[in-house]
Structures are given as C-alpha cells and as structure tokens.
C-alpha cells in the first residue's frame, strides 16, 4: 500500500462502493478513508454532514440508517458523537438480505473509541522503531477522560510489554475501565499532572487536544486551554530518540517551531493512516 500511495491505483475494490457517514466534523479520517478506497479502485458516496443534511434531522434511527445505506454500499465508515452509535449502525447493516453483510468501520464514537487512529499510531511507532514495541515507555498527554484516541491506543498497545505514563489534570484523568484493562494484562501505568517532570523519560509522546466539544460549556473547556504546550524548549528535555505523535487537529498543544524537529511524526501519521486504511479495508473485504 505504501508503494501504491506513492503514485498508483489498485483494482481490488473494482465494483465496490464505500459510504462515509460523518455526524461530527472531520478533515483527516473521512478524507483518508475516501482517498484510500479510491486508491483501491472503488467508488465513494460521501456523507460529510449527516447531522445537518441527512434524514437524521427528521428522526431516522441509526439502525434504520445502517439498514438503508447497506443497500447502497458494500462498506460503511461511521463517525458519531455518541458511544455505541457505530455498533447501532452495524446492527442495521447486518440485516442486509444479500450474500455478504455490509462491513461497518468505526471512525470515532463520542468519547468511546477511534480504532483506526490507534492502528495508524501503532503502525507509525512500529515503522519508526523497526518493528519493536516491547520495552517502550509511552506517554499520553491531555484530555485523557474525553479523548477517544488514547482509549483506543491503550486497547492496542496493551498487547506489547509497554509502560504507560498518563499526563492530565486530575479532572481529565484516564477512565478506570481503561486502566483496569491495562492492569488485567499486567501493564503498569503512572499518572501525573506535570509533563515537564516526565517528558525526559518517554520513548513515545502522544499529545492530544482538550476535547472542548465534550464539555458542558466553552467556559468550562477554557479552564484547560494551554495546559500542556509542547514547544522547542520542552522538546529539549525529551530523549533524542523520542517520537512525538498527535492525531491532529492540534489547537495549541504543539507549537509550529516543533514541526521541523525530526522527532515530530504527526504529519507522517497522516500518510501512514492512508496506507493503513487501504490495508484494513482490503483485509475486511476479503481481498
Ligand atoms: N485524527 C482525526 O480523527 O482527525 P479528524 O477529526 O480531522 O478526522
């Protein structure tokens, strides 16, 4: 897939249609899935504003939406603000009367999960570290309560012998169900509010933004604005071999003077995500 992204197209999805149903804003994830499917030779029906411009406005259920769109598409990618919403679309899509059920992929369900972002993050670390993840100390920084990306990262990274460092304000700490899952498989984690005191020990620094859209008010979210800023000065404290990841969009968590630092991998992640999603869709479609 890396080679194809370098300038070509495949015919693996010839005759297949992808539908993207996005009930929340997105730049990367929707366009990445759509570009990936086009690179695989398929066609795309794009629902970029399902909240504002679909029959959800008239009260159509997620189950019915899944059932209906499965008649149009062979694969559906969904983003929605509620936990469990994508599973509801999948329930409807599974009812399709056809030789093969429609495949549904989660592109982010509220504060729940963002599995393909975590997959591309792990792929990025794996590539940068020559296939070795065991022994790494991985830091996750920001709004760990509401951030679906750190939740999914833990879900994947727990399969390696990795230590976790969670940096957040106490009110935005990593939820206990995620921490319990790590403990259950013998993984250690350490929690702190102070990034400066731990950044020098991290092999991977996963920054995330404050998820302002999940707060009761802009004023409430504003309390945490600028709480963790990774700038060139902060990167001086980090290991020479560290990797700096961010799912993007960034707000104020990483200053632009860090972009040229060879340890900054957030734009590489975007390209890796395209290849990863091509591979994933080929896999789930049995190709
Ligand atoms: N990383 C990510 O999910 O970005 P978008 O919200 O732009 O899709």
């Amino acid at each position: 897939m890396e080679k194809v992204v370098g300038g070509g197209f495949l015919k693996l999805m010839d005759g297949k249609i992808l539908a993207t149903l996005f009930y929340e804003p997105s730049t990367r994830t929707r366009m990445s899935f759509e570009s990936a499917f086009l690179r695989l030779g398929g066609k795309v029906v794009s629902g970029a504003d399902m909240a504002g411009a679909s029959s959800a406005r008239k009260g159509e259920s997620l189950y019915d939406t899944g059932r209906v769109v499965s008649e149009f598409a062979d694969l559906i990618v969904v983003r929605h603000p509620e936990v469990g919403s994508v599973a509801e679309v999948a329930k409807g899509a599974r009812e399709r009367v056809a030789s093969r059920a429609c495949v549904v992929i989660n592109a982010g369900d509220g504060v729940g999960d963002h599995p393909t972002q975590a997959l591309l993050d792990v792929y990025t670390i794996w590539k940068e570290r020559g296939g070795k993840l065991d022994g790494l100390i991985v830091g996750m920084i920001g709004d760990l309560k509401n951030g679906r990306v750190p939740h999914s990262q833990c879900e994947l990274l727990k399969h390696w012998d990795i230590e976790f460092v969670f940096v957040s304000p106490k009110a935005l700490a990593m939820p206990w169900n995620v921490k319990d899952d790590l403990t259950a498989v013998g993984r250690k984690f350490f929690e702190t509010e102070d990034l400066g005191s731990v950044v020098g020990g991290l092999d991977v620094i996963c920054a995330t933004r404050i998820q302002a859209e999940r707060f009761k008010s802009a004023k409430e979210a504003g309390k945490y604005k600028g709480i963790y800023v990774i700038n060139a000065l902060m990167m001086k404290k980090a290991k020479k071999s560290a990797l700096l990841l961010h799912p993007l969009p960034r707000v104020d968590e990483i200053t632009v003077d860090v972009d040229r630092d060879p340890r900054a991998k957030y734009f590489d992640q975007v390209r890796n995500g395209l290849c990863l999603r091509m591979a994933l869709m080929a896999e789930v479609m049995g190709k």
Side-chain angles (χ1 to χ4, degrees):
M1 299 311 174
E2 297 262 5
K3 280 181 198 154
V4 177
V5 167
F9 289 86
L10 295 174
K11 290 186 175 170
L12 287 175
M13 295 298 152
D14 204 10
K16 301 286 181 196
I17 294 179
L18 164 72
T20 52
L21 311 182
F22 276 61
Y23 296 81
E24 277 192 333
S26 169
T27 299
R28 271 147 298 276
T29 311
R30 183 175 60 79
M31 293 180 74
S32 174
F33 268 111
E34 293 181 357
S35 307
F37 206 72
L38 291 170
R39 288 251 176 234
L40 291 171
K43 294 201 162 40
V44 174
V45 180
S46 185
D49 178 21
M50 290 296 289
S54 80
S55 285
R57 288 285 300 270
K58 297 181 242 169
E60 186 157 59
S61 69
L62 287 167
Y63 176 92
D64 279 1
T65 303
R67 179 71 188 82
V68 168
V69 177
S70 72
E71 296 292 340
F72 308 142
D74 305 283
L75 202 151
I76 304 175
V77 173
V78 188
R79 170 171 290 185
H80 193 280
E82 285 163 31
V83 175
S85 52
V86 182
E88 195 59 22
V89 174
K91 260 194 217 166
R94 268 202 296 272
E95 295 302 319
R96 183 191 197 189
V97 184
S99 57
R100 198 175 195 289
C102 182
V103 175
V104 177
I105 296 179
N106 185 352
D109 63 333
V111 301
D113 287 296
H114 192 347
T116 61
Q117 178 67 46
L119 274 171
L120 75 89
D121 296 342
V122 172
Y123 178 46
T124 301
I125 301 167
W126 182 87
K127 264 176 78 173
E128 295 292 334
R129 289 291 178 155
K132 291 197 185 102
L133 277 82
D134 285 329
L136 294 178
I137 299 177
V138 176
M140 297 180 189
I141 298 128
D143 182 355
L144 305 183
K145 177 185 172 199
N146 297 305
R148 55 195 172 201
V149 173
H151 303 166
S152 289
Q153 286 172 332
C154 286
E155 180 64 29
L156 279 185
L157 289 170
K158 73 181 183 190
H159 297 288
W160 284 270
D161 183 15
I162 282 171
E163 275 186 42
F164 297 84
V165 177
F166 299 139
V167 184
S168 72
K170 280 201 170 67
L172 304 179
M174 187 67 89
W176 274 107
N177 64 312
V178 178
K179 292 186 284 198
D180 286 347
D181 279 355
L182 295 178
T183 306
V185 293
R187 299 290 166 249
K188 289 186 187 146
F189 62 85
F190 171 77
E191 295 179 282
T192 179
E193 293 186 72
D194 182 10
L195 175 60
S197 67
V198 294
V199 71
L202 303 177
D203 298 303
V204 184
I205 305 164
C206 300
T208 55
R209 70 185 168 88
I210 300 298
Q211 307 284 303
E213 67 273 33
R214 309 289 177 218
F215 286 74
K216 282 189 190 130
S217 66
K219 190 176 166 205
E220 192 65 24
K223 284 185 196 166
Y224 302 102
K225 189 172 163 48
I227 190 159
Y228 300 116
V229 177
I230 298 177
N231 52 23
L233 207 59
M234 182 66 82
M235 287 305 287
K236 276 192 182 163
K237 293 186 184 179
K239 287 184 180 181
K240 291 263 185 298
S241 60
L243 304 174
L244 175 59
L245 270 53
H246 194 304
L248 303 177
R250 66 177 153 183
V251 181
D252 51 15
E253 310 79 49
I254 301 176
T255 55
V256 289
D257 57 354
V258 177
D259 292 359
R260 287 195 188 151
D261 187 315
R263 296 169 292 181
K265 300 296 172 193
Y266 29 93
F267 293 117
D268 296 342
Q269 284 171 263
V270 178
R271 189 182 176 98
N272 290 339
L274 183 57
C275 304
L276 184 284
R277 289 182 174 115
M278 287 172 71
L280 176 69
M281 289 192 285
E283 177 77 20
V284 299
M285 295 297 284
K287 302 286 183 180

